[in-house]
Amino acid sequence: MNDLVFIGDWTKDRVLGSGSFGVVVLWRHNRTDEKLAIKTCKWSDELTEKHRERWTKEVEMLQKSDNVNIVSTKELPPEFVSGLERMNPSRLPILCMEYCSGGDLRQLLNKAEFCSGLKEVQVRQILGDIRNAMQFLHGNKITHRDLKPENIVMQIIDSPGKQNIGPQAQKKVVYKLIDLGYAKEIDSNSVCASFVGTLQYLAPELFSSKTYSNSVDFWSMGLIAFEVICGIRPFLPYLAPVQWIPHVKKKAHDNISVYETYHGDIEYSNELFPESFISKPLKALLEKWLRVALEWEPRLRGRDTPSKVTFNIPAEQATAGSKIVIFDLLQEILSKKIIKVFSVSTISQHAYEIDDKTNISTLKKYLEGDTKVSKETQILISPKSFLDLGDDELVVNYWNDSCNNMIYLYDKTIMIKDVIEPIVPKAVQRSLKENQKAMYNFKNSQNLYRNSVYFVMSQVEMYESLINGLFVRAESFKHGSKLLLLNHNKVDKCIGKLADKLDVVTKMTETGKKHIERLRETGTGVNYLGGFDKIFKDVDDRSEKITKLQLAWNQLSVRLQSATRRSNEVLTTDINNFVSKNNFQTILMDTLKTYVHFKKSEFFTDQRCKEKQCTDIIKLSYECLKLRCKILHEMRHQPFVLKLIDLNTELAKIADIISNAADTTDKLNLDLTTAIDELTNCMWNTISLLSSDADDIANLPYSVVSFQKRDFKIGEPVSNHCIQVPNIQDDEKLKSLIEESLKLRKNHSYLTAQLNMHKELMKKSSIDYSFLAE
């Protein structure tokens, strides 16, 4: 098909892939820009009957495999039937498929930046899509038999309803299985006898047995899962199958990797390699799943019965007593919610499995154990809201599986710690300690280059998270100052109402003081006035405290205005200027280029047999460490960091003062209410006491006696209880009596409630005025 470029309105774009006897070509429609991947057989007489059967079977299986994670077939346009006739000498069916524009998984894994595995979001997506496709095939009694990264392609899909504009645009990727050429319909209990597939991803029984079942796909799934997580296969990847099988055969059920140490020893491990980009909780869950997928015994592989329990049980009985769990277990793992937290003060990433009931208080306990930052000094902020998260809030509200840092942790006492040791892979540590002229064999140099790339990329990721954490903190201060202003205004209104209430109470007490002073000057009713002195003194004390509160509050308002202004100052420019001058991008690009150059040298067989120096990658690792130390040292003294530290301290103090002022205002308001009640009760109690002590009505002040309008009659005395004063000849005495009565009438309303209120005078509220010292 090399000389065929145009068929009708279709133009040949390029060859997508070529296998042992098939070739896939991309065709593009000139008017609609539609793209099709068309697979034809490039042989004719050389094909065996078995090959023809395989080809026909692949076409039939793809046509009936209606699954989103299996590449779909399309109807071949009529012009291709005749147009490709001379290019299809075998006369086998032509396979027309959807075009997946993202390439295959092998191309992704071959990129230098993914030499230590893919990001967690990608790992989740890949494993979920492969699980879905393989469960569909096995559910239809089809075994793929050639599952490998080259047979997993990526379809790029624009999210509907969203505009993908700019560098931040995210497009959805769907991973699909292709090439069912080796797939075969088998019963779950039957076996196959053909030796097929790519050697490095074949299950071990295919090398030692003539029969196998669909559990061979479980082994391939496990190898691919390990590789997308760590960037390398789990079982002695630098050796051929005939070399690694004897070692892997000895592994225990819990072993999920077998590797060669720096000194050439064979080691067995129950864990994924630490140089990967997935979180610890997901890592632990996938290690559990890999034990099931990479079980050596094929009849127990993928099932819920571990081999170590069934050593003495016949395989048939063990299989009958267990069930396949590999798909359901993986689905359960991928459905787990894992919250990711970046600690700014310790520059460290943390992750925890959560459920729908996990609250922020629980998350703080986890973080306290890992970061040593106490719960009391922790501040958790989500980029979703930029607000300090409350202890009772649910963590799941801030979970986002597509986000690398869902919550940022800050320490109230410090922005960034002075001494933070980096995590350096062992291979890189060894190279930095040894002489740069040390020689490395092919296997050790592979590990060194791969781990060095991981180390540099981890520092880039750390730095990006730190910068994002500073941006989030700056934004949180803007939101925090707005909330403080709202709280300030609420308390300010309360203080205003308190001042108005104080004015009323002060006028009452001032009037009372004048009347009592007048009574004392005349010596009238002195025995009944002691309780009022205590009330007036308490009101004066509270008035003094309220005055101090108002003065302190006015000072606080000025501080808050200043802090709000500073929090709204744009720190983005300062941070971006610093990042533009201090970043890891140059070292990262140089490291990736060095790794690519090293990988190209692998194609030369003679280079694999020689030991070599790795001074280039060692130097880059050393420069990365130096740059990390320099950046962190200079960052601590940058103006934008000092501003953040200042705002952190100032806004925290203001928040405490506002809170204390609110409490104090409430207490003083209650005290004034109590003072009013005390004064009223004292007045009425005084009146009651005077009434009870009087021998008759003549001994009471005139105003104590109550008269109604109906009691007055023309020509009669105003009261039947009036004492007759016959023959009063002395006008001076009568005048004196009337004057005394008028004085008592004017003053008795202020002398009523004293005695009963004496019991209440000791019940006073304690008030904390420590905020006034701020």
Side-chain angles (χ1 to χ4, degrees):
M1 213 186 310
N2 292 332
D3 60 339
L4 191 61
V5 179
F6 302 102
I7 296 179
D9 290 332
W10 296 85
T11 301
K12 179 182 176 181
D13 190 291
R14 66 182 185 276
V15 176
L16 295 176
S18 180
S20 56
F21 55 93
V23 59
V24 182
V25 176
L26 174 64
W27 290 84
R28 179 176 53 83
H29 197 277
N30 298 330
R31 288 184 290 104
T32 65
D33 205 38
E34 180 185 1
K35 296 179 180 179
L36 294 175
I38 297 179
K39 183 176 182 179
T40 57
C41 184
K42 60 185 178 182
W43 303 105
S44 57
D45 297 338
E46 296 86 350
L47 291 175
T48 65
E49 191 61 34
K50 191 172 184 179
H51 287 155
R52 289 179 173 275
E53 180 184 354
R54 170 189 164 187
W55 184 281
T56 305
K57 201 70 175 178
E58 178 183 13
V59 175
E60 293 176 354
M61 286 184 178
L62 275 176
Q63 288 176 343
K64 69 180 183 180
S65 296
D66 184 15
N67 184 275
V68 68
N69 297 120
I70 298 177
V71 68
S72 63
T73 59
K74 292 179 175 269
E75 184 177 353
L76 186 68
E79 53 265 44
F80 281 100
V81 176
S82 57
L84 294 176
E85 186 174 358
R86 68 184 180 88
M87 304 305 298
N88 185 29
S90 66
R91 297 297 183 268
L92 288 172
I94 297 175
L95 187 58
C96 182
M97 302 171 289
E98 64 172 321
Y99 168 60
C100 296
S101 59
D104 62 51
L105 183 56
R106 172 55 64 202
Q107 294 171 329
L108 192 65
L109 290 171
N110 282 343
K111 292 184 177 181
E113 59 266 35
F114 298 130
C115 63
S116 288
L118 306 179
K119 302 296 183 180
E120 184 166 321
V121 174
Q122 295 170 294
V123 171
R124 280 178 170 268
Q125 183 69 43
I126 292 171
L127 296 186
D129 288 351
I130 294 175
R131 183 208 66 81
N132 185 49
M134 294 308 300
Q135 188 172 30
F136 173 83
L137 291 178
H138 284 208
N140 287 276
K141 303 186 185 304
I142 298 174
T143 302
H144 191 283
R145 303 197 296 173
D146 194 22
L147 189 58
K148 57 184 178 181
E150 291 80 356
N151 284 340
I152 300 171
V153 295
M154 296 173 285
Q155 179 68 288
I156 310 298
I157 301 176
D158 290 339
S159 300
K162 294 182 180 180
Q163 293 183 343
N164 294 302
I165 301 174
Q168 301 299 325
Q170 295 293 329
K171 294 185 178 181
K172 183 180 180 182
V173 179
V174 178
Y175 296 85
K176 298 173 178 277
L177 292 186
I178 62 170
D179 198 355
L180 300 186
Y182 286 120
K184 186 172 183 179
E185 292 185 82
I186 60 174
D187 185 84
S188 59
N189 295 319
S190 66
V191 295
C192 300
S194 56
F195 188 80
V196 296
T198 305
L199 297 183
Q200 292 292 359
Y201 292 88
L202 288 180
E205 60 267 22
L206 293 174
F207 297 96
S208 58
S209 174
K210 295 182 179 180
T211 62
Y212 61 90
S213 68
N214 58 5
S215 67
V216 296
D217 285 343
F218 302 157
W219 182 272
S220 301
M221 282 182 66
L223 293 183
I224 292 174
F226 195 101
E227 188 170 3
V228 298
I229 295 169
C230 299
I232 191 171
R233 294 188 304 277
F235 300 127
L236 299 168
Y238 307 120
L239 302 180
V242 68
Q243 296 173 299
W244 61 254
I245 283 180
H247 296 291
V248 178
K249 187 176 181 179
K250 299 176 184 178
K251 83 177 190 71
H253 166 73
D254 289 341
N255 299 148
I256 60 173
S257 68
V258 183
Y259 62 94
E260 189 177 352
T261 66
Y262 178 78
H263 299 289
D265 299 324
I266 302 297
E267 292 287 342
Y268 296 79
S269 174
N270 299 341
E271 300 178 355
L272 290 159
F273 297 142
E275 295 80 23
S276 66
F277 295 100
I278 65 170
S279 58
K280 287 184 178 180
L282 183 61
K283 178 176 179 289
L285 291 169
L286 288 175
E287 286 168 351
K288 177 182 178 182
W289 178 81
L290 285 169
R291 295 184 184 105
V292 175
L294 299 177
E295 168 62 51
W296 178 267
E297 173 56 52
R299 297 191 183 185
L300 299 174
R301 189 181 303 138
R303 297 177 176 271
D304 60 353
T305 304
S307 61
K308 63 181 181 180
V309 180
T310 58
F311 278 143
N312 299 323
I313 302 177
E316 293 79 3
Q317 296 181 20
T319 302
S322 63
K323 62 178 180 179
I324 294 176
V325 297
I326 188 169
F327 298 123
D328 291 341
L329 181 59
L330 182 56
Q331 184 179 22
E332 179 185 348
I333 290 172
L334 296 179
S335 67
K336 298 287 187 182
K337 293 182 175 67
I338 296 175
I339 195 75
K340 296 180 181 178
V341 182
F342 183 79
S343 172
V344 173
S345 61
T346 60
I347 313 181
S348 55
Q349 180 80 51
H350 306 275
Y352 308 95
E353 181 183 341
I354 62 169
D355 56 33
D356 293 340
K357 296 182 180 178
T358 307
N359 59 22
I360 295 297
S361 179
T362 302
L363 180 60
K364 286 184 175 181
K365 289 181 182 178
Y366 298 156
L367 289 167
E368 183 176 28
D370 290 339
T371 65
K372 308 307 177 187
V373 178
S374 67
K375 284 185 63 178
E376 291 72 20
T377 61
Q378 288 183 25
I379 299 175
L380 294 181
I381 298 176
S382 167
K384 183 177 180 180
S385 64
F386 298 109
L387 298 178
D388 190 355
L389 305 184
D391 287 353
D392 295 330
E393 291 189 69
L394 296 177
V395 181
V396 71
N397 294 334
Y398 303 96
W399 172 79
N400 182 353
D401 61 351
S402 62
C403 183
N404 191 40
N405 295 311
M406 306 169 193
I407 294 177
Y408 288 89
L409 167 65
Y410 305 89
D411 189 339
K412 291 180 181 178
T413 62
I414 190 172
M415 185 59 68
I416 302 174
K417 289 187 176 180
D418 292 334
V419 180
I420 303 174
E421 296 294 335
I423 300 176
V424 184
K426 290 183 179 180
V428 178
Q429 290 183 37
R430 186 184 297 110
S431 69
L432 294 174
K433 291 179 181 178
E434 293 178 346
N435 191 315
Q436 289 195 11
K437 295 182 179 180
M439 305 297 289
Y440 293 83
N441 61 28
F442 175 74
K443 179 262 302 177
N444 288 337
S445 61
Q446 283 269 355
N447 288 335
L448 176 58
Y449 277 85
R450 189 168 53 84
N451 288 348
S452 296
V453 171
Y454 168 80
F455 172 63
V456 175
M457 288 190 64
S458 66
Q459 296 310 303
V460 172
E461 187 176 276
M462 174 275 298
Y463 186 49
E464 290 177 350
S465 296
L466 177 59
I467 295 300
N468 288 336
L470 296 178
F471 275 121
V472 169
R473 191 59 176 137
E475 196 66 27
S476 74
F477 286 140
K478 293 181 183 179
H479 287 70
S481 63
K482 291 178 182 178
L483 289 179
L484 283 179
L485 279 173
L486 292 176
N487 292 335
H488 169 274
N489 293 340
K490 290 180 182 178
V491 177
D492 190 67
K493 289 181 181 179
C494 294
I495 292 178
K497 292 180 180 179
L498 179 65
D500 293 340
K501 195 172 187 177
L502 177 63
D503 289 341
V504 175
V505 177
T506 301
K507 289 179 182 179
M508 292 175 62
T509 55
E510 289 300 324
T511 302
K513 289 178 183 178
K514 292 178 181 178
H515 282 290
I516 290 176
E517 184 63 29
R518 197 175 302 149
L519 288 173
R520 284 178 175 163
E521 289 175 357
T522 61
T524 305
V526 176
N527 295 332
Y528 299 102
L529 306 179
F532 287 97
D533 290 337
K534 182 63 176 174
I535 294 174
F536 296 156
K537 183 178 182 303
D538 291 342
V539 171
D540 290 341
D541 291 341
R542 287 155 189 163
S543 176
E544 182 181 356
K545 292 176 180 178
I546 292 174
T547 301
K548 289 182 178 180
L549 172 63
Q550 289 176 310
L551 291 174
W553 187 251
N554 291 334
Q555 295 176 2
L556 175 71
S557 299
V558 175
R559 288 178 63 179
L560 179 56
Q561 290 175 1
S562 174
T564 301
R565 175 183 53 77
R566 283 177 286 154
S567 68
N568 288 324
E569 290 177 355
V570 179
L571 298 179
T572 304
T573 303
D574 294 338
I575 297 177
N576 286 335
N577 288 339
F578 178 81
V579 173
S580 64
K581 298 176 183 177
N582 301 274
N583 59 71
F584 293 86
Q585 291 306 312
T586 301
I587 286 182
L588 175 61
M589 297 305 297
D590 290 343
T591 302
L592 294 178
K593 289 178 182 178
T594 302
Y595 179 81
V596 171
H597 178 74
F598 167 73
K599 292 296 289 184
K600 287 181 178 178
S601 67
E602 291 183 12
F603 293 104
F604 302 99
T605 307
D606 59 329
Q607 295 294 323
R608 295 193 176 195
C609 302
K610 296 179 180 178
E611 289 191 342
K612 60 175 291 185
Q613 293 179 346
C614 301
T615 53
D616 51 358
I617 200 69
I618 295 174
K619 182 179 179 180
L620 287 169
S621 298
Y622 177 70
E623 292 297 326
C624 182
L625 274 174
K626 282 181 57 180
L627 181 59
R628 180 186 190 275
C629 182
K630 172 180 175 292
I631 287 176
L632 293 182
H633 175 74
E634 293 186 2
M635 179 179 285
R636 294 186 180 94
H637 304 287
Q638 289 298 308
F640 63 85
V641 172
L642 298 179
K643 286 180 182 178
L644 292 176
I645 294 173
D646 176 61
L647 283 172
N648 182 57
T649 304
E650 180 69 353
L651 291 179
K653 287 182 177 180
I654 291 175
D656 289 340
I657 293 174
I658 291 177
S659 177
N660 289 337
D663 293 340
T664 302
T665 302
D666 291 340
K667 292 177 181 178
L668 287 172
N669 186 58
L670 180 61
D671 286 346
L672 282 183
T673 301
T674 302
I676 294 174
D677 293 341
E678 288 177 347
L679 184 59
T680 303
N681 290 335
C682 192
M683 288 164 43
W684 285 106
N685 286 336
T686 302
I687 292 174
S688 299
L689 181 62
L690 291 172
S691 300
S692 62
D693 286 347
D695 294 331
D696 51 41
I697 196 72
N699 294 330
L700 290 174
Y702 177 73
S703 60
V704 174
V705 182
S706 176
F707 295 98
Q708 299 293 331
K709 184 176 181 180
R710 64 177 180 272
D711 296 329
F712 294 87
K713 295 181 181 180
I714 298 176
E716 294 185 0
V718 295
S719 173
N720 295 327
H721 303 286
C722 292
I723 300 175
Q724 298 295 326
V725 187
N727 301 321
I728 297 181
Q729 301 297 328
D730 193 343
D731 292 338
E732 291 299 327
K733 289 183 179 180
L734 179 60
K735 182 178 179 181
S736 175
L737 179 62
I738 293 173
E739 288 178 351
E740 180 68 21
S741 176
L742 290 174
K743 287 182 181 180
L744 290 174
R745 179 183 178 184
K746 291 179 181 179
N747 295 313
H748 81 277
S749 60
Y750 301 99
L751 306 174
T752 57
Q754 293 187 37
L755 295 179
N756 289 342
M757 294 306 300
H758 287 175
K759 297 179 181 179
E760 303 294 331
L761 291 178
M762 301 306 294
K763 298 180 181 180
K764 294 184 178 180
S765 301
S766 58
I767 303 173
D768 180 15
Y769 286 94
S770 59
F771 71 91
L772 295 173
E774 299 295 340

